[in-house]
Amino acid sequence: MSKEQQTPFSVWTDMNKQMLEAWSAWASKAMPVLPGTGETTEANPFQAYYDFFNKSFSQNPLLSSMPATGRDFTEQMYKSWFDGMKNMSTFIPNQAARDGFDRFMNSFNVFTGLQSYWDNYLKNIPTDMKDWETFYKNALQQYQDVSKGLAMSFAPEQMKGLLALPQEAMGSIQQTLLQLFKPWVEDSAALQTYLQKALQGDKDAYKEFLDEWSKLFKDSVGKMLNMPAVGANRASIEKMMKLLDDYVKFSVRYGELSSIFSTMLSGAMEKILGYLAELHADGKQPQTFMEFYSIWSSFNEKAAAEVYSTEEFARIMNETVSAGSKLQIMYDDFMQDLLAFLPIPNRRELDDVEMEVYKLRKTVKTLEKDLKDVKTLLSKMPGAPAVSDK
Amino acid sequence: MNKFNYDPQKSIQEAVKTTTKLMNGLQNMMDIEDLEIATTPKELVYTEDKVCLYRCKPTVSKPHPIPVLVVYALVNRQYMLDIQENKSTVRRWLDAGLDVYMLDWGYPGHVDKYLTMEDYIDGYLNNAVDFILEKHNLKALNIIGICQGATMSVIYSALYAEKVKNLVTLVMPFDFHTKDSLLNRWALNMDIDSMIGASRGLLSGDMMNFGYNMLKPFELSFDKYIYFIDKLDDKDAIMDFLRMETWIYDSPSQAGPMLSKFVKDLYRDNKLAKNELELGGRKVDLKNIKMPVLCMLAQKDHLVPPASTRPFIDAIPSTDKELLEYPVGHIGIFVSTKALKDVGPKIGKWIKERK
């Protein structure tokens, strides 16, 4: 390709291909940290790649807008590549191909996170059996980061939007909820026990805690939030309080559902680690990451099928969806009130117009049909004049 | 090779290979301008609001005199039957000598969000049937119903039996209380009206797809893509894959009242299988289904399990009825090589034998 024919995309892909060749060349010579032995190679495994990457950036002005590498080179390198691929995919002309490629990249992102986990797992496999328990615990702990957000990674935008607040502001919400829980916790021995266990990572206790607390909440503050307000802004105040009540209800339900998914994923990982230990003992452990991925995927799919088939899951999922939907309805209603002051039609008003259109359309169709029948009858009458179809 | 027998070089090469494949995939996808879906020639013959009726161009000089109306589900698009030239069920039917009409329900927008089951069955479906009958000067035609479209076709056949010469159902949910379906279990206590309300009266196709993908979360959200990375060098394979992806994610939104009745009366209360369903104040009596019926199901169907379809055959009084089972999945019955060879021609032969 001549220089004149170069586009940012062609330069970018060529560069990445050359980088991969450099990486490949290094991989055939160098050996990274040997798992379990602590032995290291002298050479910096990423040096060749790093040098090439920097050189490419400094020499090609077209790439100057690409994200720069940071201190954590490998992470930044992957992020740069991943973001680059996502950005480049916007140039795919066909919408379906573009959407399809985005889904590839989303899966690949999860795949890569899992690959890092797997590499780390291999690096830390203990040589001594007495260290196995600690290793096992750490491996499970580290998996929490990989599995975080896994369930929601393919959720539709509408659902992500509803969940964005709880996910983005999880820290402050936890604090707020802890403050919110405080008065009830102080007065309930059962809540104290559940909370103590939950904070130590007991997911069942967490669910019990939420159940117990939501019952107590409903009978106390919940009643206040639902009681009639008075004064000039009565309707708005009632709606705001209802919105808060719906938000609390949804957060509790969502917490329960997340806890189920989290237990499901960590339970599956426990089984996977146990299975890997068995394979190690028999000398049949996975040879490549893909082999590990296949085990990971099938164990998780089986775990999901088991959890999904329970009555409890169906109940909690439906309660969460219902609470989320009610929160969304309440939120929309509240927003419509705010928008009502603006000189533009809001959704509520459009709904009325659309209902009218629906009714009118039906009326017109009925009349058209009646007219056709009348014309047919007329045309069959003896001596009737010809009737136009139009 | 270390003492755990793990080969890091092999893993690195694997990672390099995967990354290279993804980049080749990106490059290949840049070249795609048209996926060429639903290429069977057809003519738009009737429209009503957003619903369109197409007549596929016959491939034989003298097609069967009684046309076939294909009624697809509302939750996906009918072009699954014509996904690509060498995997087109419609072409098989045309080649078998059938005169094929296809109903396209369109994409309901906010102006359509008040549509009821009556609007769909007594309105759009019945009007399309009347149009075809008038055009061919007939009293009855053949109906092929697919998935939810098959359930709707059964309801239609019970209400308008005189207009249905033969009824064919494919992968039809009928008994909604079978325990081997996750969808059935989940829908039992689903707060569908709140869900519709939260979607401003029109439940989005994305939400529906998320629910379907949840049934097999790892296979459908990860494995499918990860294992396909290996084929990203192959342009034809990419085209096949993307056609299917396009279809899967091309899900129209669902009008609130229609969906609400479908979930509450069928999924929750199982009224059709109990012969208790009513539509527009009339009983949908399965005893009216006396016309010949061919019922086909997919044994590996995770969306409509075989147990959901099988009871249909015993629930109708028709004396000319047949149940056929294929060892494929919900989509495989239309696109798998074996099914394409068997299902399309079988339907063609069955209909032609019942002039």
Side-chain angles (χ1 to χ4, degrees):
Chain A
M1 190 182 283
S2 71
K3 270 207 163 170
E4 290 73 34
Q5 289 173 306
Q6 282 188 336
T7 62
F9 174 71
S10 65
V11 171
W12 186 80
T13 40
D14 286 348
M15 188 200 79
N16 270 286
K17 278 181 179 168
Q18 288 171 54
M19 283 199 297
L20 285 169
E21 280 164 19
W23 172 264
S24 208
W26 162 77
S28 64
K29 292 176 194 150
M31 174 72 78
V33 178
L34 295 179
T37 64
E39 290 171 28
T40 54
T41 55
E42 285 301 311
N44 177 349
F46 299 108
Q47 197 58 49
Y49 201 19
Y50 181 78
D51 290 346
F52 183 82
F53 199 73
N54 274 352
K55 204 173 140 197
S56 304
F57 265 80
S58 60
Q59 287 179 358
N60 202 319
L62 278 171
L63 296 166
S64 57
S65 60
M66 295 287 290
T69 53
R71 251 182 294 176
D72 188 345
F73 176 68
T74 50
E75 201 177 293
Q76 283 294 330
M77 188 177 70
Y78 170 70
K79 196 179 176 313
S80 298
W81 178 82
F82 186 81
D83 290 347
M85 288 290 273
K86 290 278 261 189
N87 290 338
M88 287 299 158
S89 72
T90 58
F91 293 106
I92 296 176
N94 184 283
Q95 171 82 40
R98 197 159 58 241
D99 293 346
F101 193 77
D102 278 348
R103 286 191 282 272
F104 272 109
M105 292 308 290
N106 285 346
S107 302
F108 185 70
N109 201 23
V110 173
F111 181 78
T112 309
L114 195 63
Q115 193 164 23
S116 302
Y117 172 79
W118 171 242
D119 287 344
N120 207 34
Y121 168 88
L122 288 168
K123 273 183 212 160
N124 294 305
I125 289 177
T127 47
D128 198 327
M129 279 306 284
K130 72 177 166 52
D131 298 326
W132 192 264
E133 201 180 325
T134 317
F135 164 74
Y136 184 79
K137 262 189 186 167
N138 289 342
L140 267 181
Q141 187 64 38
Q142 283 159 7
Y143 185 64
Q144 305 271 330
D145 290 335
V146 182
S147 61
K148 212 187 312 177
L150 202 62
M152 282 296 132
S153 56
F154 283 82
E157 291 309 314
Q158 186 188 345
M159 196 179 278
K160 279 181 182 164
L162 192 64
L163 297 175
L165 183 61
Q167 279 193 348
E168 282 166 9
M170 196 51 88
S172 60
I173 282 169
Q174 268 178 357
Q175 282 307 310
T176 311
L177 283 177
L178 280 174
Q179 287 300 320
L180 191 65
F181 293 151
K182 210 174 162 186
W184 288 274
V185 173
E186 282 173 356
D187 282 347
S188 163
L191 280 183
Q192 283 169 22
T193 314
Y194 289 141
L195 185 60
Q196 207 169 13
K197 286 183 183 172
L199 290 173
Q200 286 165 358
D202 183 336
K203 294 188 173 69
D204 289 334
Y206 177 59
K207 264 167 48 197
E208 295 291 342
F209 173 81
L210 289 176
D211 268 349
E212 182 66 20
W213 179 81
S214 62
K215 270 183 225 155
L216 293 172
F217 177 84
K218 199 175 158 191
D219 293 339
S220 50
V221 174
K223 282 190 176 166
M224 274 163 59
L225 291 178
N226 284 292
M227 73 184 206
V230 288
N233 296 321
R234 185 187 57 80
S236 299
I237 293 169
E238 277 181 8
K239 274 186 186 174
M240 272 197 279
M241 293 207 294
K242 178 82 176 60
L243 187 61
L244 182 61
D245 187 41
D246 283 349
Y247 180 71
V248 172
K249 282 177 185 160
F250 170 66
S251 297
V252 170
R253 290 288 158 255
Y254 181 62
E256 278 188 296
L257 189 66
S258 302
S259 160
I260 290 186
F261 279 119
S262 171
T263 309
M264 178 186 99
L265 292 168
S266 57
M269 199 59 200
E270 268 185 68
K271 285 183 184 167
I272 292 169
L273 291 174
Y275 180 63
L276 287 175
E278 280 173 27
L279 291 178
H280 279 303
D282 297 342
K284 292 176 183 167
Q285 62 275 29
Q287 299 294 295
T288 63
F289 171 66
M290 275 311 276
E291 286 175 34
F292 167 72
Y293 174 82
S294 169
I295 293 169
W296 174 83
S297 171
S298 60
F299 270 72
N300 275 294
E301 194 76 290
K302 203 175 157 209
E306 278 169 17
V307 170
Y308 286 178
S309 62
T310 61
E311 296 294 328
E312 192 200 12
F313 177 79
R315 179 182 62 79
I316 292 175
M317 187 186 68
N318 279 328
E319 284 175 1
T320 309
V321 172
S322 176
S325 301
K326 284 174 181 157
L327 170 64
Q328 180 80 58
I329 292 169
M330 205 59 216
Y331 179 75
D332 285 349
D333 193 43
F334 188 68
M335 290 304 286
Q336 295 301 310
D337 285 351
L338 296 180
L339 290 172
F341 294 105
L342 295 173
I344 51 167
N346 62 23
R347 177 35 61 200
R348 218 181 273 151
E349 287 157 341
L350 286 174
D351 284 348
D352 288 344
V353 174
E354 283 153 7
M355 177 50 110
E356 279 307 309
V357 172
Y358 168 73
K359 283 181 187 166
L360 281 171
R361 223 159 54 175
K362 281 189 93 158
T363 308
V364 169
K365 281 181 198 177
T366 311
L367 290 174
E368 270 180 351
K369 227 169 197 173
D370 290 349
L371 197 60
K372 196 179 170 191
D373 290 346
V374 169
K375 281 178 180 174
T376 312
L377 271 176
L378 281 175
S379 67
K380 284 177 184 166
M381 286 175 75
V387 183
S388 163
D389 280 342
K390 302 242 164 120
Chain B
M1 200 78 63
N2 61 61
K3 64 177 163 176
F4 290 96
N5 210 21
Y6 165 68
D7 185 348
Q9 286 192 13
K10 202 172 161 190
S11 252
I12 290 164
Q13 294 295 355
E14 204 176 54
V16 170
K17 191 177 145 205
T18 308
T19 317
T20 313
K21 293 261 183 190
L22 264 172
M23 293 183 56
N24 289 343
L26 176 62
Q27 212 155 16
N28 282 332
M29 288 196 199
M30 289 278 185
D31 298 335
I32 297 171
E33 280 178 10
D34 186 8
L35 286 175
E36 293 176 347
I37 299 178
T39 55
T40 299
K42 58 185 181 295
E43 183 193 357
L44 178 63
V45 290
Y46 170 81
T47 60
E48 184 180 344
D49 303 332
K50 287 175 183 157
V51 176
C52 296
L53 179 68
Y54 292 96
R55 185 185 190 185
C56 300
K57 195 178 170 194
T59 56
V60 296
S61 58
K62 218 175 161 196
H64 189 63
I66 302 172
V68 169
L69 173 62
V70 180
V71 183
Y72 204 80
L74 299 170
V75 292
N76 274 113
R77 308 274 295 145
Q78 77 289 344
Y79 61 76
M80 158 51 61
L81 303 167
D82 192 23
I83 194 87
Q84 64 189 68
E85 201 171 332
N86 61 346
K87 287 184 182 172
S88 168
T89 304
V90 171
R91 279 179 199 254
R92 300 295 191 286
W93 289 336
L94 291 170
D95 291 344
L98 298 182
D99 190 353
V100 181
Y101 284 84
M102 285 184 82
L103 204 51
D104 174 353
W105 297 113
Y107 298 89
H110 274 282
V111 83
D112 312 294
K113 71 183 173 194
Y114 300 105
L115 289 171
T116 61
M117 194 181 278
E118 285 86 346
D119 291 326
Y120 275 101
I121 294 177
D122 291 327
Y124 298 134
L125 178 52
N126 189 41
N127 293 342
V129 168
D130 284 347
F131 173 85
I132 300 168
L133 294 181
E134 198 176 316
K135 187 178 171 78
H136 291 261
N137 198 21
L138 291 167
K139 294 228 175 329
L141 49 56
N142 300 307
I143 288 184
I144 300 179
I146 291 154
C147 188
Q148 182 196 25
T151 313
M152 290 165 72
S153 300
V154 164
I155 296 171
Y156 182 80
S157 302
L159 291 171
Y160 300 89
E162 72 284 1
K163 296 186 190 180
V164 185
K165 174 88 177 143
N166 300 296
L167 172 65
V168 181
T169 68
L170 283 114
V171 288
M172 172 184 63
F174 175 73
D175 181 350
F176 291 81
H177 280 186
T178 51
K179 294 284 179 208
D180 50 354
S181 162
L182 280 178
L183 276 183
N184 292 358
R185 281 163 178 258
W186 292 351
L188 216 50
N189 294 305
M190 191 181 276
D191 184 2
I192 190 66
D193 289 337
S194 291
M195 287 171 74
I196 293 166
S199 309
R200 291 114 191 158
L202 203 60
L203 196 69
S204 78
D206 284 351
M207 289 291 281
M208 307 280 289
N209 270 327
F210 182 65
Y212 297 139
N213 279 353
M214 257 187 82
L215 296 173
K216 288 185 175 183
F218 290 86
E219 185 185 322
L220 299 176
S221 296
F222 302 112
D223 293 359
K224 185 171 78 170
Y225 302 101
I226 296 301
Y227 292 132
F228 192 78
I229 287 175
D230 207 33
K231 292 184 188 164
L232 283 173
D233 286 332
D234 181 344
K235 280 190 181 177
D236 289 338
I238 291 176
M239 292 292 273
D240 287 359
F241 187 86
L242 286 179
R243 280 188 199 104
M244 195 54 79
E245 281 287 286
T246 303
W247 176 78
I248 290 169
Y249 289 98
D250 186 4
S251 307
S253 298
Q254 301 296 301
M258 166 70 201
L259 181 66
S260 177
K261 187 172 171 71
F262 200 84
V263 170
K264 289 197 272 194
D265 281 5
L266 300 178
Y267 273 101
R268 194 186 63 192
D269 298 336
N270 205 19
K271 286 184 179 173
L272 183 63
K274 289 179 186 166
N275 206 20
E276 292 170 359
L277 184 69
E278 288 189 4
L279 192 76
R282 296 154 301 160
K283 181 179 164 69
V284 178
D285 197 346
L286 295 172
K287 291 197 169 56
N288 293 334
I289 302 187
K290 294 172 185 162
M291 71 287 293
V293 171
L294 174 63
C295 177
M296 292 173 154
L297 64 83
Q299 288 169 333
K300 294 177 188 169
D301 196 331
H302 75 289
L303 291 170
V304 181
S308 175
T309 308
R310 284 182 192 128
F312 173 61
I313 282 292
D314 292 331
I316 51 170
S318 170
T319 50
D320 179 4
K321 53 189 176 184
E322 193 175 352
L323 174 69
L324 290 177
E325 303 193 5
Y326 294 86
V328 287
H330 191 71
I331 308 301
I333 199 160
F334 305 109
V335 295
S336 75
T337 314
K338 185 174 162 41
L340 275 166
K341 217 173 89 186
D342 292 352
V343 177
K346 167 70 193 176
I347 292 173
K349 188 168 175 278
W350 186 87
I351 286 176
K352 285 199 289 184
E353 283 169 358
R354 284 156 181 83
K355 257 189 182 171

